[in-house]
């Protein structure tokens, strides 16, 4: 791969929170056209800011304030009255602005080894599982209209529409049969870290549905075209960088999100990355747990946004026997685990009271 890569853009993705710690998750787009999710703690951002000030004292305004191009780390003293989650989301928004300003700085700062290494995926970023008891909180969109201080702001959020990979049968939130056919569009109302998401079909039925069975439609492939989504495959993450040695192999950086099209018991899987299909060692690939949970509108593209790359791949050798990966159904969490993470208004909206018979 030609030359060292550097981060091009960063977007806030989510707040990852447990009882003991908070981490801020960002979607990073790189100069090699790859995308990764990284999560960093507040202390890691403080160390980054300190290192940048020591490395670039003039750009940090230590020698002359008028020369400052490195922003100040957001002041947290103004957030002491907010709750823990509220402070975390406020930090996330502030850090999003902070990082965007850093990447807009001159190249010797924005492409410096200090900043590049900060965004390089760490082992925790590549772990397909989240810490026990994790709560993934997605930030609400900024309110575009100015409202009087103290007034209530009620937002109408547009649900993300995904499509079902294969037929799946379950029960809705009221215990009635819920049948989803292949390529059927479902609106995602709530994403739970367990892998079971709350969806709604055209008949306004709501049900807890396994996330691996859902996938976004590719650009340019609307419902009228009826294009199958199964071609895009399951999303995985490269645990380390790999440089191709054969014409039918792929080169990927560490943390790259790829789509696995076919597997093989010989240890080489057919994948798609950056519009091209080719082979990768299966031992390098891990399920992209956090990426699958967070991928959606407003973030950087997923493992691959193009659907034409498969036709550009070189044919694999004849002995390469393959099989399509069936979606895996995550363990179903108890109803109490879902309700404990919903506010009273949400529980009422879902009809999850004592008379309901549904299960997540």
């Amino acid at each position: 791969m030609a030359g060292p890569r550097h981060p091009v853009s960063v977007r806030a993705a989510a707040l990852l929170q447990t009882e003991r710690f908070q981490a801020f998750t960002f979607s990073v787009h790189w100069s090699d056209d790859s995308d990764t999710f990284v999560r960093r703690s507040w202390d890691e951002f403080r160390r980054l800011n300190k290192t940048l000030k020591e490395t670039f004292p003039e750009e940090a305004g230590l020698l002359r304030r008028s020369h400052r191009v490195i922003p100040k780390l957001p002041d947290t003293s103004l957030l002491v009255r907010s709750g823990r989650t509220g402070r975390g989301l406020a930090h996330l928004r502030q850090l999003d602005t902070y990082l965007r300003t850093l990447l807009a700085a001159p190249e010797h700062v924005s492409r410096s080894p200090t900043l590049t290494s900060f965004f390089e995926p760490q082992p925790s970023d590549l772990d397909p599982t989240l810490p026990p008891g994790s709560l993934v909180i997605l930030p609400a969109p900024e309110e575009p209209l100015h409202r009087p201080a103290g007034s209530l702001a009620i937002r109408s959020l547009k649900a993300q529409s995904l499509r079902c990979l294969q037929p799946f049968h379950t029960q809705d939130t009221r215990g009635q049969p819920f049948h989803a056919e292949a390529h059927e569009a479902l609106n995602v109302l709530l994403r739970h870290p367990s892998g079971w998401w709350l969806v709604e079909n055209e008949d306004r039925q709501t049900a807890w549905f396994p996330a691996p069975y859902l996938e976004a439609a590719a650009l340019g492939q609307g419902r009228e075209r009826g294009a199958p989504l199964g071609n895009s495959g399951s999303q995985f993450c490269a645990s380390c960088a790999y440089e191709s040695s054969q014409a039918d192999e792929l080169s990927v950086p560490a943390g790259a999100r790829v789509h696995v099209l076919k597997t093989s018991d010989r240890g080489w899987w057919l994948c798609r990355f950056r519009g091209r299909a080719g082979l990768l060692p299966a031992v390098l690939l891990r399920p992209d747990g956090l990426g699958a949970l967070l991928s959606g509108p407003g973030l950087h593209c997923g493992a691959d946004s193009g659907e034409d790359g498969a036709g550009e791949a070189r044919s694999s050798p004849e002995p390469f026997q393959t099989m399509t990966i069936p979606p895996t159904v995550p363990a179903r969490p108890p109803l109490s685990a879902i309700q404990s993470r919903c506010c009273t208004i949400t529980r009422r909206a879902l009809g999850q009271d004592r008379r309901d018979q549904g299960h997540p």
Side-chain angles (χ1 to χ4, degrees), residues 64-79:
R64 183 173 298 180
R65 292 184 180 181
S66 60
H67 290 177
R68 172 186 290 276
V69 294
I70 296 178
K72 293 183 178 180
L73 194 65
D75 184 7
T76 61
S77 61
L78 300 178
L79 305 175

Side-chain angles (χ1 to χ4, degrees), residues 21-62:
F21 79 97
Q22 286 182 331
F24 307 94
T25 304
F26 290 86
S27 172
V28 184
H29 183 68
W30 295 85
S31 57
D32 61 3
D33 205 28
S34 63
D35 301 293
T36 58
F37 279 109
V38 299
R39 55 181 186 262
R40 302 288 182 264
S41 67
W42 182 257
D43 286 340
E44 288 177 298
F45 277 101
R46 291 178 62 183
R47 289 194 293 268
L48 169 66
N49 185 257
K50 180 180 179 181
T51 303
L52 288 174
K53 290 168 64 176
E54 295 173 348
T55 308
F56 306 103
E58 182 176 358
E59 291 80 355
L62 300 181

Side-chain angles (χ1 to χ4, degrees), residues 56-343:
F56 306 103
E58 182 176 358
E59 291 80 355
L62 300 181
L63 304 181
R64 183 173 298 180
R65 292 184 180 181
S66 60
H67 290 177
R68 172 186 290 276
V69 294
I70 296 178
K72 293 183 178 180
L73 194 65
D75 184 7
T76 61
S77 61
L78 300 178
L79 305 175
V80 293
R81 295 184 179 180
S82 303
R84 180 167 179 257
T85 300
R87 288 196 302 269
L89 291 173
H91 285 163
L92 183 65
R93 289 190 293 267
Q94 292 175 333
L95 291 173
D96 182 66
T97 302
Y98 172 77
L99 292 177
R100 292 183 187 223
T101 305
L102 274 179
L103 292 182
E107 289 186 1
H108 69 282
V109 175
S110 63
R111 300 186 183 184
S112 64
T114 299
L115 197 55
T116 299
S117 61
F118 178 80
F119 288 116
E120 285 289 353
Q122 300 177 3
S124 59
D125 301 322
L126 305 177
D127 191 341
T129 60
L130 297 178
S134 295
L135 181 62
V136 180
I137 307 170
L138 277 64
E142 293 292 335
E143 182 65 47
L145 299 179
H146 296 286
R147 296 178 178 271
S151 65
L152 294 177
I154 302 177
R155 295 185 178 92
S156 176
L157 299 181
K158 183 178 180 181
Q160 181 187 6
S161 181
L162 301 181
R163 299 173 76 176
C164 188
L165 283 171
Q166 297 181 13
F168 189 84
H169 307 290
T170 183
Q171 291 184 337
D172 65 12
T173 54
R174 298 186 178 275
Q176 300 301 314
F178 186 95
H179 305 292
E181 302 299 332
H183 318 315
E184 179 180 348
L186 298 173
N187 291 327
V188 178
L189 306 180
L190 187 149
R191 301 184 182 198
H192 191 270
S194 65
W196 285 83
W197 295 357
L198 186 68
V199 302
E200 181 184 60
N201 61 14
E202 291 185 351
D203 297 328
R204 306 300 296 273
Q205 276 185 292
T206 58
W208 294 99
F209 204 82
Y213 274 74
L214 298 172
E215 188 172 61
L219 295 176
Q221 293 188 351
R223 185 179 304 180
E224 66 279 4
R225 294 185 57 181
L229 296 179
N231 293 337
S232 63
S234 301
Q235 186 164 294
F236 280 69
C237 181
S239 60
C240 61
Y242 179 77
E243 189 73 23
S244 63
S245 59
Q246 302 292 334
D248 58 355
E249 296 177 6
L250 293 175
S251 295
V252 296
R257 293 146 62 199
V258 304
H259 280 146
V260 175
L261 305 179
K262 293 181 180 179
T263 62
S264 169
D265 56 7
R266 302 185 65 181
W268 290 85
W269 290 3
L270 182 64
C271 306
R272 182 187 292 113
F273 176 65
R274 288 164 49 186
R276 181 177 179 270
L279 304 179
L280 284 174
V283 70
L284 303 181
L285 302 176
R286 299 180 181 179
D288 189 11
L290 185 61
L293 179 67
L294 297 179
S295 296
L299 298 178
H300 298 116
C301 296
D304 183 48
S305 59
E307 292 295 326
D308 300 328
E312 301 172 1
R314 296 173 175 84
S315 300
S316 56
E318 192 65 29
F320 183 75
Q321 301 297 324
T322 63
M323 59 180 294
T324 302
I325 294 181
T328 56
V329 179
R332 187 187 294 264
L335 178 61
S336 58
I338 299 292
Q339 291 180 325
S340 65
R341 301 191 179 195
C342 296
C343 64

